[in-house]
């Protein structure tokens, strides 16, 4: 945009704003089977929506979202709403506040169907509306002021379904209407005066759904309709005569939703309908008989809205998965009755309900979330997940603060193993701190206060190992934080205040390694939180406060590396909570408070204690690293206090994910991380755990348009003769010393994470990074 400053000097400056990056989104492989774990984000009156009940949704060519409510038309840019409402004193305002339908024509004009104000055309340049109303004296006027549906066909003709006035055909060029009404004397006329939906299919046929007269097909080149009515004696007839919705899927199949007969499927060239109805007691059937909207997402998923929830059709099983409102789940639907479904160009699916807007991006459903359902013994026992392990039979074991769980991945069910005071062979306690499966198929369980339990293969009996004060061969402390089996098959136990223990299978006892303040070659701290053996056989011990230790297992001695405030190349924190090795031999250390550290392989081999640090300024969202796992592409996944991060060692860049992408919470837990033998990753936190395959996680590649949403001069909003998005130049007087630009990147996956930079050529020397703010302010501008 050129800005012409009028004053003693005249010159042209160009203001530019760019969308830097949208929060990277998780994208699953394309498929049409419904996802079990869908998280809806809610938008309500508190976010600026003019009224809660949303009946229609549309995205215009510039990328703005439009929502029709019972109290006005709303435009949304991802941050702010602008509401257009009826003003009795302004004849150019919206003709009625209850909006039922919105379409955009080839010129970019919006056509709005209202509940009792007829048809309105919105002109963006003047922010005004032209009205088209029913006139009983004019047969070429709109059939009724109660507009229920608008469909624009490939020729630009608007087909308008009205409540009481039948079907109207509107030619925007001639600005005239042609009406189609029922005639009791003509069996080829429209079957009913109440029209709820209209669709011209890919073959050019016009389908009309009526509220009481069934489905109608307008025969090409005529005014004759072929009627499809419900016949109780014919299972192949349409299931009901009250038609609420008509939709054509990409395979040419016609889907028809009814008011009380469920969903119907009509194959191309067929006159026989297949019915999908609600079957009480069958959770895989359609949720209810009233179908209000049907929509196919771009990944092929067919969505069907009812009064009892949103249904996703599974073509493999020919059944439905239902998503409903849950008072206990803030990411469930805000209301079970879904009135409208729409998918924008960025992939976000929008749902209009009686209680606001719900949105979710099918691309962000790749983090399946498992939560506790304590009343169901086949579900996870507790939401606070502390640890994972995989035994040789492929079972996944999950430690929580209320018991041990065994996950059968094939059946997606859990078995709980809990402490029983009456059974000495049960768990020593329910609070699990760590888990480790050994090469023999046994499971070692570290508890918070009762030592280590061992579960032998094919049993459900635990052997207990406790600290005994007068037995130096017992476990050094009952607070167990880490378990590890090295390449020789030796089992190591890290405790929080008792140092490191090595298990002696012959005696059944332990050999202790403790911190001795008088011995520099001893363990640097008794608070052991991480144990790791690298590919060369080096044995690393991470401590909480004593830094990183390299153990000589033959001598039982330790060399330690800790933070030196005076040395920026030292370890960034002495609280080393996780250790792992890259495929190239680089050592990575996750810390508490110091972010991520990398110790390059060549420096380690040369004996140089030189650590590369990665902190918040480098792209990490949290300086606390809990767990680290490598994927097959050589990227490092990190769990933290602010979600999951993915580090690319080749570029030194981070990718971050939060709850908007389906994470159990932004807060994960120490050491609760597992990569299974088939590459699946598990990360646990305070609200259950996520399990996913990294190859299913892709970046959001949608590049949204960046548009101006407002210009202010001296804090007063400026108006122009054309839409802001189409402005090439504005003129400023020399008195306009303060100018403000508002703008938005129209990607709605996570608009609060969108980042911006701007530059005014001739004024700014470099791009100004705004972060996620979307306003640029210039003060004290000189004339010229």
């Amino acid at each position: 945009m050129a800005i012409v400053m009028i004053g003693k000097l005249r010159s042209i400056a160009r203001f530019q704003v760019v969308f830097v990056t949208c929060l990277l989104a998780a994208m699953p492989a394309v498929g049409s089977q419904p996802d079990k774990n869908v998280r809806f984000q809610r938008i309500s009156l508190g976010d600026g929506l003019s009224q809660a009940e949303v009946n229609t949704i549309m995205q215009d060519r510039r990328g703005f979202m439009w929502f029709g409510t019972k109290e006005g038309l709303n435009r949304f840019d991802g941050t702010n709403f602008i509401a257009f409402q009826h003003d009795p004193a302004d004849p150019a305002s919206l003709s009625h506040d209850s909006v039922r339908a919105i379409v955009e024509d080839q010129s970019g004009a919006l056509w709005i169907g209202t509940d009792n104000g007829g048809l309105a055309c919105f002109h963006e340049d003047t922010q005004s509306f032209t009205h088209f109303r029913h006139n009983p004296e004019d047969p070429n006027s709109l059939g009724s002021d109660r507009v229920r549906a608008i469909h624009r066909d490939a020729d630009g003709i608007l087909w308008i379904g009205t409540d009481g006035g039948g079907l109207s055909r509107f030619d925007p060029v001639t600005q005239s209407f042609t009406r189609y009404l029922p005639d009791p004397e003509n069996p080829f006329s429209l079957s009913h005066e109440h029209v709820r939906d209209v669709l011209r299919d890919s073959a050019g046929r016009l389908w009309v759904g009526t509220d009481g007269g069934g489905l109608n097909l307008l025969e090409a080149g005529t005014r004759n309709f072929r009627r499809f009515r419900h016949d109780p004696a014919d299972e192949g007839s349409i299931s009901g005569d009250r038609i609420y919705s008509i939709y054509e899927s990409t395979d040419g199949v016609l889907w028809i939703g009814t008011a009380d007969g469920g969903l119907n499927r009509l194959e191309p060239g067929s006159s026989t309908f297949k019915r999908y109805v609600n079957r009480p007691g069958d959770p895989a059937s359609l949720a209810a008989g009233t179908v209000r909207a049907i929509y196919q997402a771009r990944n092929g998923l067919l969505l069907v809205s009812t009064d009892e929830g949103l249904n996703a059709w599974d073509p493999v099983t020919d059944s439905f998965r239902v998503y409903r409102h849950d008072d206990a789940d803030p990411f469930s639907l805000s209301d079970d009755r879904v009135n409208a479904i729409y998918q924008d160009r960025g992939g976000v699916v929008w749902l209009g309900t009686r209680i606001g807007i719900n949105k979710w991006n099918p691309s962000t459903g790749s983090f399946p979330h498992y939560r506790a359902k304590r009343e169901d013994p086949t579900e996870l026992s507790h939401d606070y997940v502390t640890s994972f392990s995989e035994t040789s039979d492929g079972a996944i074991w999950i430690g929580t603060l209320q018991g041990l769980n065994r996950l059968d991945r094939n059946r997606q069910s859990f078995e709980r193993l809990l402490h029983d005071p009456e059974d000495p062979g049960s768990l020593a306690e329910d609070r699990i701190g760590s888990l480790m499966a050994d090469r023999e198929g046994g499971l070692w369980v570290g508890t918070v206060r009762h030592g280590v339990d061992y579960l032998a293969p094919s049993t459900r009996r635990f052997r207990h190992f406790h600290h005994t004060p007068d037995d130096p061969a017992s476990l050094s402390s009952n607070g167990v934080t880490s378990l590890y089996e090295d390449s020789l098959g030796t089992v190591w136990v890290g405790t929080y205040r008792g140092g490191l223990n090595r298990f002696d299978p012959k005696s059944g006892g332990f050999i202790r390694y403790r911190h001795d303040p008088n011995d520099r070659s001893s363990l640097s701290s008794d608070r052991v939180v991480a144990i790791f053996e690298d590919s060369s056989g080096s044995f690393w011990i991470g401590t909480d406060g004593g830094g990183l230790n390299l153990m000589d297992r033959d001598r039982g001695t330790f060399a330690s590396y800790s933070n030196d405030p005076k040395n920026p190349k030292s370890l960034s924190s002495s609280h080393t909570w996780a250790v792992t090795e890259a495929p190239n031999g680089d050592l990575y250390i996750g810390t508490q408070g110091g972010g991520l550290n990398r110790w390059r392989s060549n420096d380690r081999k040369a004996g140089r204690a030189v650590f590369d640090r990665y902190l918040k300024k480098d792209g990490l969202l949290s300086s606390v690293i809990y767990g680290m796992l490598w994927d097959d592409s050589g990227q490092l996944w990190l769990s933290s206090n602010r979600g999951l991060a993915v580090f690319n060692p080749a570029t030194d860049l981070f990718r971050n994910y939060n709850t908007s992408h389906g994470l159990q919470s932004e807060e994960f837990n120490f050491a609760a991380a597992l990569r299974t033998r088939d590459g699946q990753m598990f990360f646990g936190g305070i609200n259950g755990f996520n399990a996913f395959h990294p190859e299913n996680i892709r970046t959001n590649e949608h590049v949204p348009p960046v548009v101006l949403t407002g210009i202010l001069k001296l804090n007063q909003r400026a108006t122009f003769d054309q839409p802001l998005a189409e402005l090439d130049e504005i003129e400023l007087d020399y008195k306009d010393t303060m100018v403000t630009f508002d703008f938005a990147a129209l990607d709605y996956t996570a608009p609060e994470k969108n980042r911006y930079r701007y530059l005014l050529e001739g004024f700014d020397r470099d791009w100004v990074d705004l972060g996620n703010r979307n306003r640029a302010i210039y003060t004290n501008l000189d004339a010229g």
Side-chain angles (χ1 to χ4, degrees), residues 331-630:
F331 295 103
S332 67
L333 276 178
S334 59
D335 183 59
D336 281 342
R337 186 172 125 178
V338 178
N339 298 321
I341 311 173
Y342 188 88
Q343 186 175 34
D344 68 30
R345 289 188 286 277
V348 175
V349 171
W350 302 81
L351 308 171
T353 76
R354 290 177 301 182
I355 308 178
I357 302 163
N358 292 246
K359 67 168 186 162
W360 116 87
N361 193 330
S363 305
T364 66
S366 296
F367 291 105
H369 177 200
Y370 295 82
R371 293 189 63 193
K373 294 182 181 177
R374 299 179 191 181
E375 70 282 357
D376 186 347
T378 65
E379 296 287 348
L380 189 66
S381 63
H382 197 269
D383 278 337
Y384 200 98
V385 174
T386 61
S387 49
F388 301 96
S389 192
E390 180 185 20
T391 45
S392 55
D393 60 357
I396 306 299
W397 295 84
I398 302 109
T400 75
L401 288 188
Q402 194 168 316
L404 180 64
N405 297 254
R406 181 184 184 274
L407 170 63
D408 185 324
R409 284 193 284 175
N410 293 326
R411 297 182 179 180
Q412 291 292 291
S413 64
F414 296 82
E415 175 191 0
R416 301 176 180 179
L417 283 75
L418 304 171
H419 170 65
D420 181 355
E422 304 299 322
D423 182 3
S426 69
L427 267 177
E429 71 160 317
D430 284 336
R431 292 178 300 171
I432 311 300
S434 56
L435 293 172
M436 188 269 291
D438 64 26
R439 63 186 62 185
E440 302 298 327
L443 184 71
W444 296 77
V445 183
T447 69
V448 174
R449 289 189 177 178
H450 287 77
V452 175
D453 283 4
Y454 176 71
L455 182 66
S458 304
T459 75
R460 288 295 181 267
R461 312 296 295 169
F462 291 90
R463 179 184 177 188
H464 308 300
F465 299 92
H466 298 293
H467 170 67
T468 304
D470 56 358
D471 182 2
S474 68
L475 193 66
S476 62
S477 172
N478 282 328
V480 176
T481 53
S482 52
L483 293 159
Y484 195 86
E485 182 182 32
D486 67 19
S487 57
L488 301 176
T490 303
V491 172
W492 299 82
V493 181
T495 68
Y496 196 68
R497 288 188 173 88
L500 182 66
N501 296 255
R502 176 166 60 89
F503 179 64
D504 182 352
K506 292 183 179 179
S507 66
F510 295 87
I511 300 168
R512 303 175 181 177
Y513 300 87
R514 302 291 301 270
H515 170 64
D516 181 350
N518 298 314
D519 183 359
R520 294 185 61 183
S521 67
S522 70
L523 186 66
S524 64
S525 169
D526 279 339
R527 292 179 293 185
V528 173
V529 291
I531 308 171
F532 180 75
E533 182 180 22
D534 67 25
S535 58
S536 69
S538 296
F539 202 61
W540 303 92
I541 312 298
T543 69
D544 189 17
L548 182 66
N549 293 254
L550 175 60
M551 181 181 185
D552 185 326
R553 283 171 287 182
D554 293 330
R555 299 181 179 180
T557 59
F558 300 82
S560 63
Y561 305 87
S562 60
N563 173 252
D564 179 356
K566 298 179 181 179
N567 181 6
K569 287 296 183 179
S570 68
L571 196 64
S572 64
S573 170
S574 293
H575 301 274
T576 55
W577 284 10
V579 186
T580 189
E581 183 184 20
N584 68 354
D586 291 350
L587 200 69
Y588 285 81
I589 303 100
T591 72
Q592 192 275 333
L596 180 67
N597 292 252
R598 175 169 59 188
W599 193 358
R600 296 180 185 272
S601 176
N602 56 351
D603 286 327
R604 282 202 293 131
K605 291 176 181 178
R608 294 187 295 267
V610 176
F611 296 86
D612 299 324
R613 301 177 179 182
Y614 298 92
L615 308 169
K616 288 183 179 180
K617 65 180 180 63
D618 303 301
L620 271 176
L621 292 181
S622 173
S623 60
V624 178
I625 305 299
Y626 286 130
M628 301 189 292
L629 299 173
W630 292 98

Side-chain angles (χ1 to χ4, degrees), residues 17-22 706 745 754-758 767-771:
V17 59
V18 297
F19 169 75
V20 179
T21 179
C22 169
V706 181
N754 292 345
R755 296 175 58 87
Y756 303 89
R757 292 191 300 179
Y758 70 90
W767 289 93
V768 180
D769 192 337
L770 275 175

Side-chain angles (χ1 to χ4, degrees), residues 47-68:
D47 301 299
L49 190 65
S50 66
Q51 197 267 339
E53 184 159 354
V54 176
N55 293 314
T56 184
I57 306 170
M58 194 273 295
Q59 184 179 33
D60 68 22
R61 62 179 181 172
R62 282 174 287 275
F64 291 106
M65 295 301 303
W66 294 83
F67 302 94

Side-chain angles (χ1 to χ4, degrees), residues 43 64-67 74-81 350 748:
I43 301 173
F64 291 106
M65 295 301 303
W66 294 83
F67 302 94
N74 292 252
R75 192 191 81 173
F76 186 51
D77 64 13
T79 303
N80 300 306
F81 283 94
W350 302 81
Y748 302 95

Side-chain angles (χ1 to χ4, degrees), residues 662-742:
L663 297 186
Q664 53 81 34
S665 164
E666 291 194 357
E667 182 176 346
F668 285 83
N669 280 331
F670 158 76
L674 168 72
R675 174 180 162 145
T676 63
R677 286 188 290 273
D678 64 0
Q680 189 176 17
M681 288 186 177
F682 288 75
F683 285 100
I686 63 173
N687 192 31
F689 67 89
N690 295 106
F692 59 95
H693 289 277
E695 62 270 21
N696 288 341
I697 312 299
R698 304 173 188 171
T699 58
N700 178 6
E701 297 178 353
H702 176 239
V703 180
V706 181
V707 297
L708 282 173
T709 57
I711 297 176
L712 288 76
K713 303 176 184 178
L714 298 174
N715 286 328
Q716 298 297 314
R717 192 161 296 277
T719 58
F720 304 94
D721 294 334
Q722 61 187 126
L724 283 176
E726 297 177 4
L727 282 177
D728 294 321
E729 179 179 298
I730 65 170
E731 288 191 357
L732 301 178
D733 191 271
Y734 70 94
K735 295 177 182 178
D736 297 328
T737 56
M738 179 176 177
V739 185
T740 301
F741 297 95
D742 292 331

